[in-house]
Amino acid sequence: MASENEEPEISEEAVESAPRAADYIYVRIPASMVNQTLRNGFIPDKKTTDGAYSTGVRGSAVYHKDTRTSTTDGSLIIHRGDPDPCPGTCDAFIHPPYASIQPYRGENDGEYHVSVRLSDIGLGAAKCGFCFILYNGIIAQRELWIAAWAKQQWVSDSPDSEEGGTAEAVERKPWKEEFKDEVEEEREIDEETVRLDITFPKDEECLSVCLVFWGRLEEGSEAEGSNADGSEAKGSELDYSEGYFSEGSSSDSLILPRTNSERLKDPGFREPGRTIAEFQFYTRPGSPSPWAAFTAAPHIHTNVYSNSCMNEISSWIEECVSTHPVCAENTWTIKPASNNGLPRRLLRLRDCHRDPPLVRLEDTSNSQEYRYIALSHVWAYTEPYKTTQENSLEHKDRVPWENLSRPLQEAVALSLTLGYELLWIDSLCIIQDDPLDKERELPRMSLIYGQAAVVFAAHGWDLGTEKVGLLAIEDKYHEDDAPIYCRVKMDHSNLFSMSKDPTSWLGRAWCMQEWIFAPRILHFGGSTEELIFECNTLIRCECGGINNDKSQEQRTLKTNITEVLARVDKDGQEGGEIGFCDKLWKVYITACENYTSRGVSFPTDTLSAVSSLMHRFVPYLGVYYAGLWEYNLLISLQWEASQTGLRRRHKEYVAPSFSWASRSGGVVWYMDMSELPTPETHQFATVLNISYELAGSDICGKVKRGYITLRGCTTEMKIESKSEWFPDGKLEMIKEGFESCYVTLDSKEDLDRVQVGTVVKCLDIMRDKEGYHGNFVSGLILLPADGEDGRYNRIGFSTMRENHFEGAVLEDVTIV
């Protein structure tokens, strides 16, 4: 054994076999780490849509290969560059042979990934039944991906597209005309431009095929399927140790492998392919395929009104009612209208074997109990018919069926089919041109949706009750085998993370609180063909993907918030618990980060659309100041904008500039929520006064004006640079004689307002106490408010060093 002072002996063999870094890895920095990263002077390349950043890291090109050949369950591990363990199975790529019971695994017992061109799969289909199934499944679904292919082909042919020079052209969608023949199937596409990223999953999940637009290799470049020595290889196995990570994808999602192609050697190369579609291949339960890669999965019902679909919906609801105490406590306690537990009006549905059904508006009674369904929908999609002061009396007699848009008609039909005769639809049950009626009802959305037996969430133009048929593919080389089915892969990611589409149901501001307070939700329509059932305990889907995904804990914003708010519903018994208000405040922060990333059609609705949720915090977090709570107020002020260039200050007054509600778009709080700042660890500014004037009677609703006066140390700094090299919205600030720091501006208007050399006021609102962390200071960045003598607007937030405040002045600052 070597002594402490001796260098240990290392054999040449050990050095040679030691792991090496990849040549160029794409790294995603989680949003929670960005502030710490920036504090240490490291500026990543680009901020992503979810507030995270991404950057490139260099390393060596030596590949480290795990030498294992099999797993404990007998699966065969296929290493990159290995020959086909069963030669002669297929000429296109390596996959398990017909009738094999030994699954294939990738490196380190991971999922086995193969990347191969569509053209090669087509050639392989001439001899191989596995390729025949894949190729014909993809081609049969051509109408679902051909438009995306045409767009990517046009982008690839447009030299300025990567620099954004074709943005205006993209709006015109010229690819529809340029590739009209391909889209209308009058001309075959070049199958060399499409590659399939095939995933052979572990466990019982479906085999998935991701179609990626790749484009043709330039003449003379290396074949992507070649080995390191230049010899020809079948396909190109994806390997997690060396790959590219998409900057806009979910965390750590590999999109394509590194290869020896010349165009991938460029360190600046970012995204070698673009996904145009993703499919699943599976068999029916009880009908196994000799191709073991095709596992069993349930069908998605082709008609929601079918007996099998209605039975499945009923079983989901029954399971929740009978076995989920958390859901039962919240939903089936029916309160009389006098207790504000029910809406003032409901729609009474009468079938009576009529076509169409009879629908009429009915006032609720204090002496009755009601069991109803509520509809949550995006008005831009459903274009709902409305109740007004003029037609409200007519609607009590009959709501004209012909005036109801298709999704509203479907909501009526589905309610009756499930055995419910009462339905709540906001556009019909609230008098839309009566401000007083809206002001009474909107703050009670949590109770209205919370008391519904089931909520229908309409994700698209309709509820998708009639869906596409099943696509069955038979192996022409083994005609007696059970058919294999192909369908679009269901994407459940938006249920577990913030939606990237602000126009979708999951991306709309009004829908968030409806989603949170609904005891049970049936998700209909939208970009998927399946039904999804969600309650406060679990999630179920038709395709079985969520149920089978053992890595998903099935926890969403809805379940996290419900868990904490359940304590609020128990007569406030937990209100005195140590740390309870902190837990509740963290729920508020989580909700704000999700809510602000959502879309709202009218900026003046920014506070109203979340008012009902905020009412649940009133007894515990103090006074509500236009989006911010009295509890932890100075920490709440430390929000930062994400994607500053896309954010706008509202033209109409919505909130004072220190509130996140004063501008559009997402915000984040970059802090460790497990260890919140306290007076023991941090020194805070003093809140001298805070005031606001409501626009109505709702204490969590619209405001006319407001301000806050803080006493804290101030200093001046100068904008040093507006370089595009910095992440979106981050500018460099400097104080003479000290190191520079960075400010995140709140909106595009604030970004335009400051120039290089602009002097800004920095207000210290929280700093680390001596010996705690790194002596950082959290500060608001201010400029004088127009027409407000001696008052300021907040324009951004910055994390600075304590020495930036040497010679600072203790000052009372009013922010409007």
Side-chain angles (χ1 to χ4, degrees), residues 472-517:
I473 309 159
E474 295 185 354
D475 181 352
K476 78 171 185 178
Y477 303 107
H478 308 92
E479 295 180 351
D480 294 333
D481 291 351
I484 305 299
Y485 296 90
C486 175
R487 67 184 176 207
V488 174
K489 184 177 181 180
M490 300 298 125
D491 181 11
H492 306 116
S493 61
N494 282 342
L495 291 169
F496 301 95
S497 61
M498 287 184 283
S499 173
K500 302 298 187 296
D501 181 5
T503 67
S504 68
W505 184 87
L506 285 166
R508 298 302 291 170
W510 280 102
C511 296
M512 189 188 81
Q513 60 184 11
E514 298 165 8
W515 173 48
I516 289 172
F517 286 109

Side-chain angles (χ1 to χ4, degrees), residues 34-55:
V34 171
N35 212 31
Q36 292 90 324
T37 303
L38 294 173
R39 283 176 171 181
N40 292 308
F42 174 69
I43 304 297
D45 292 342
K46 184 178 180 182
K47 183 184 285 187
T48 62
T49 54
D50 61 359
Y53 288 73
S54 53
T55 190

Side-chain angles (χ1 to χ4, degrees), residues 192-264:
E192 289 283 316
T193 62
V194 178
R195 68 184 299 154
L196 278 57
D197 289 349
I198 306 169
T199 300
F200 293 77
K202 299 180 67 173
D203 303 321
E204 299 299 320
E205 297 174 27
C206 297
L207 179 140
S208 67
V209 177
C210 182
L211 270 64
V212 178
F213 178 84
W214 188 260
R216 296 183 62 88
L217 281 176
E218 296 181 6
E219 187 175 349
S221 62
E222 291 184 45
E224 292 153 33
S226 62
N227 290 322
D229 61 2
S231 60
E232 185 177 351
K234 297 191 299 182
S236 175
E237 183 191 345
L238 301 187
D239 172 66
Y240 279 111
S241 67
E242 301 188 63
Y244 281 90
F245 292 82
S246 168
E247 59 192 63
S249 63
S250 59
S251 179
D252 298 338
S253 60
L254 190 67
I255 59 169
L256 279 173
R258 252 179 359 108
T259 74
N260 290 319
S261 171
E262 285 297 323
R263 62 180 179 178
L264 293 187

Side-chain angles (χ1 to χ4, degrees), residues 743-760:
V743 54
T744 301
L745 297 182
D746 295 341
S747 70
K748 178 66 164 56
E749 287 77 7
D750 299 319
L751 189 61
D752 294 339
R753 189 176 175 185
V754 299
Q755 306 299 327
V756 173
T758 298
V759 176
V760 296

